[in-house]
Amino acid sequence: MSNVPVAVVTGSNKGIGFAIVRALCKQFPGDVYVTARDPGRGQEAVAKLQEEGLHALFHQLDIDDLQSIRALRDFLKEKYGGLNVLVNNAGIAFKVRDTTPFAIQAEVTLKTNFFGTRNVCTELLPLVKPYGRVVNVSSMSGSSALRGCSQELQRKFRSDTITEDELVALMTKFVEDTKKSVHEKEGWPNTAYGVSKIGVTVLSRIQARMLNEQRKGDHILLNACCPGWVRTDMAGPQATKSPDEGAETPVYLALLPSDAVGPHGQFVSDKTVQTW
Ligand code: NAP
């Protein structure tokens, strides 16, 4: 088993994830893994980094596929005895002009952005070593979606005692409510992506609390963040930040020094803790 520190970035064959790997290759003292659902796209990304003189490794990971997540978990356990940095970056968003029915958009978006990310956390968080860093890439869209929720939902999502099961039930209810076309009546905003990112941010708050309760002595720091508005296939060419600039806050959180006591359980944008 290798004692080399290891960092894993989900959805890192392109966009912000790729830029996060590029920065980690330069700054993280250990092995850095590109992961992608498509091995061809993943290997291409590794080759592109190689051309830049950077050495990344590759492992397949489709966050929608529990078997794929578990294969990565077993690989990390066997080769490294765990992991040191996990960046949950993989995500999807329907384009504004997409005519797919809203209920389908809700189901598909939540499946990857919330349930997929949660499944990765369920399988990989127990492997995170002491002084490990976990970054869940969320979005300011989650914060605006929160403000668009009913007072009752806002109270639940801001609660310091909400459990993971309660959050899962709420995310499931959103998808069900869209199918019955009652989501607005039930207090939800009209954005599947925004609600999925509420889920990612609240999940991060819960996970940080659990780490405090169960693994306080391990000094693991876990946060959600927004990369900003970044020129990628998701956000398009008009966005204000380059992928490398979008990677700055996630990388800052992934590389918090071992004597840092925070941020932890926060939503961070431009390296600054935001009010939730
Ligand atoms: P992107 O260019 O579309 O890249 C998304 C990445 O996620 C791709 O590598 C994609 O792989 C991967 N992915 C999607 N579904 C996956 C799955 N089931 N399993 C594994 N990987 C999967 O988007 P981006 O702009 O870089 O976004 C990265 C993250 O930042 C997302 O979580 C996004 O919500 C968040 N974000 C972006 C912005 C922005 O302005 N761009 C703003 C706020 C937050 P494929 O190539 O196989 O599709």
Side-chain angles (χ1 to χ4, degrees):
M1 194 187 292
S2 165
N3 265 333
V4 174
V6 58
V8 171
V9 184
T10 72
S12 47
N13 52 288
K14 68 176 185 178
I16 299 164
F18 180 76
I20 294 171
V21 168
R22 177 191 275 136
L24 289 178
C25 281
K26 294 176 185 167
Q27 297 174 58
F28 178 73
D31 289 351
V32 183
Y33 277 82
V34 165
T35 66
R37 51 184 163 182
D38 180 83
R41 288 198 286 272
Q43 297 288 6
E44 256 175 55
V46 169
K48 202 170 149 199
L49 291 163
Q50 189 78 46
E51 281 167 25
E52 297 177 21
L54 299 171
H55 181 64
L57 297 151
F58 172 71
H59 200 285
Q60 195 273 347
L61 176 65
D62 180 344
I63 71 165
D64 291 345
D65 176 359
L66 202 48
Q67 264 190 325
S68 164
I69 299 173
R70 289 183 174 155
L72 175 65
R73 175 201 64 188
D74 293 346
F75 167 80
L76 291 168
K77 217 190 250 179
E78 199 169 309
K79 177 146 190 211
Y80 298 94
L83 84 162
N84 304 81
V85 167
L86 171 64
V87 183
N88 280 302
N89 163 83
I92 58 157
F94 282 82
K95 302 286 180 215
V96 179
R97 61 176 180 280
D98 197 305
T99 53
T100 306
F102 188 65
I104 308 277
Q105 294 201 16
E107 181 154 40
V108 171
T109 307
L110 273 278
K111 182 181 176 190
T112 299
N113 294 5
F114 177 71
F115 292 102
T117 300
R118 173 178 182 250
N119 285 342
V120 173
C121 290
T122 303
E123 299 298 333
L124 295 191
L125 283 190
L127 262 66
V128 174
K129 294 184 179 183
Y131 297 93
R133 304 292 182 243
V134 181
V135 185
N136 295 331
V137 180
S138 187
S139 173
M140 280 292 188
S141 304
S143 313
S144 358
L146 177 69
R147 292 191 290 275
C149 286
S150 65
Q151 288 304 317
E152 191 192 341
L153 280 174
Q154 288 193 37
R155 187 184 52 72
K156 288 181 179 167
F157 289 131
R158 291 199 173 101
S159 157
D160 288 327
T161 53
I162 184 173
T163 64
E164 193 167 321
D165 285 347
E166 286 166 347
L167 176 62
V168 166
L170 282 167
M171 292 290 119
T172 306
K173 182 176 185 306
F174 170 68
V175 175
E176 293 307 314
D177 286 349
T178 63
K179 285 183 186 160
K180 293 181 264 173
S181 296
V182 297
H183 63 283
E184 284 179 295
K185 194 175 123 264
E186 291 295 309
W188 298 101
N190 212 20
T191 157
Y193 180 77
V195 171
S196 76
K197 292 301 190 180
I198 292 178
V200 173
T201 302
V202 175
L203 182 67
S204 310
R205 287 160 56 88
I206 295 168
Q207 289 167 339
R209 221 174 62 216
M210 289 300 115
L211 286 169
N212 288 347
E213 285 173 18
Q214 295 162 6
R215 298 184 62 185
K216 189 72 187 163
D218 284 347
H219 307 278
I220 295 166
L221 298 176
L222 181 154
N223 292 284
C225 70
C226 178
W229 189 31
V230 185
R231 290 185 294 278
T232 62
D233 288 346
M234 182 182 288
Q238 304 303 324
T240 47
K241 285 187 181 181
S242 69
D244 289 333
E245 288 166 336
E248 280 175 20
T249 293
V251 169
Y252 151 74
L253 293 171
L255 297 178
L256 286 169
S258 56
D259 60 353
V261 292
H264 178 56
Q266 302 292 338
F267 175 62
V268 180
S269 178
D270 284 329
K271 301 186 190 171
T272 310
V273 170
Q274 308 292 309
T275 310
W276 176 244

